C-alpha cells in the first residue's frame, strides 16, 4: 500500500517536470499557474512526510531530503528557477512548522 501511495504522490510532480520540458519557451499563464500550484503542493507534501507525528526512520528521512534536492536541481537544470524556488520555499516553510528541529538541523534556518 505504501508503494502505491508513493507512486501516486510522485505523479503530480512527474507531470509537472515533463510539461516543463516542452520545446516551447512560452507557456500559457494558466499552465504556469498550474505548475506553480503543483510545485507548492508537492513541496508541502514532502515536508509533511517529515513531521514529528509521522516519525519516519532516519533512512526514510534521508531519502525524502535527497528527493527534495534532486527535484529542486532538476527544475533548475530545466531553466525553471522560479518554479524551483517556489517548490523549495514551500518545502522549507512547511518543514519549519511541522518539524522545527529537523529544519534547524539541515541548516535551513541560517
Amino acid at each position: 500500500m505504501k508503494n502505491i501511495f508513493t507512486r501516486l504522490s510522485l505523479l503530480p510532480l512527474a507531470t509537472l517536470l515533463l510539461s516543463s520540458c516542452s520545446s516551447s519557451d512560452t507557456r500559457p499563464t494558466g499552465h504556469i499557474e498550474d505548475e506553480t500550484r503543483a510545485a507548492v503542493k508537492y513541496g508541502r507534501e514532502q515536508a509533511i512526510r517529515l513531521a514529528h507525528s509521522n516519525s519516519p526512520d532516519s533512512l526514510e528521512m534521508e531519502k525524502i531530503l535527497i528527493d527534495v534536492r534532486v527535484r529542486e536541481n532538476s527544475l533548475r537544470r530545466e531553466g525553471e528557477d522560479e518554479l524551483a524556488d517556489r517548490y523549495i520555499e514551500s518545502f522549507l516553510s512547511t518543514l519549519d512548522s511541522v518539524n522545527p528541529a529537523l529544519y534547524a538541523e539541515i541548516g535551513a534556518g541560517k
Side-chain angles (χ1 to χ4, degrees):
M1 181 63 107
K2 185 177 178 182
N3 193 17
I4 292 171
F5 175 75
T6 302
R7 288 182 183 172
L8 289 175
S9 68
L10 296 177
L11 186 60
L13 197 59
T15 303
L16 172 74
L17 288 174
L18 290 174
S19 64
S20 68
C21 297
S22 66
S23 59
S24 172
D25 289 332
T26 59
R27 295 183 307 266
T29 302
H31 187 71
I32 293 169
E33 290 170 359
D34 290 343
E35 288 178 340
T36 301
R37 276 193 296 275
V40 168
K41 180 180 179 214
Y42 194 68
R44 189 177 316 119
E45 289 171 354
Q46 288 291 75
I48 289 170
R49 292 176 61 200
L50 296 169
H52 282 298
S53 60
N54 292 342
S55 302
D57 63 29
S58 59
L59 185 58
E60 181 66 20
M61 197 179 306
E62 191 173 317
K63 285 180 183 178
I64 294 168
L65 291 172
I66 290 170
D67 181 63
V68 167
R69 285 301 180 194
V70 166
R71 290 176 191 286
E72 177 193 11
N73 288 330
S74 294
L75 287 167
R76 293 192 190 286
R77 271 194 312 274
E78 294 298 325
E80 297 288 349
D81 289 334
E82 188 174 326
L83 199 55
D85 289 344
R86 295 295 302 271
Y87 169 68
I88 200 67
E89 287 167 6
S90 173
F91 171 78
L92 291 173
S93 65
T94 305
L95 182 63
D96 188 27
S97 66
V98 299
N99 194 336
L102 179 59
Y103 176 82
E105 187 176 327
I106 63 173
K110 293 182 180 183

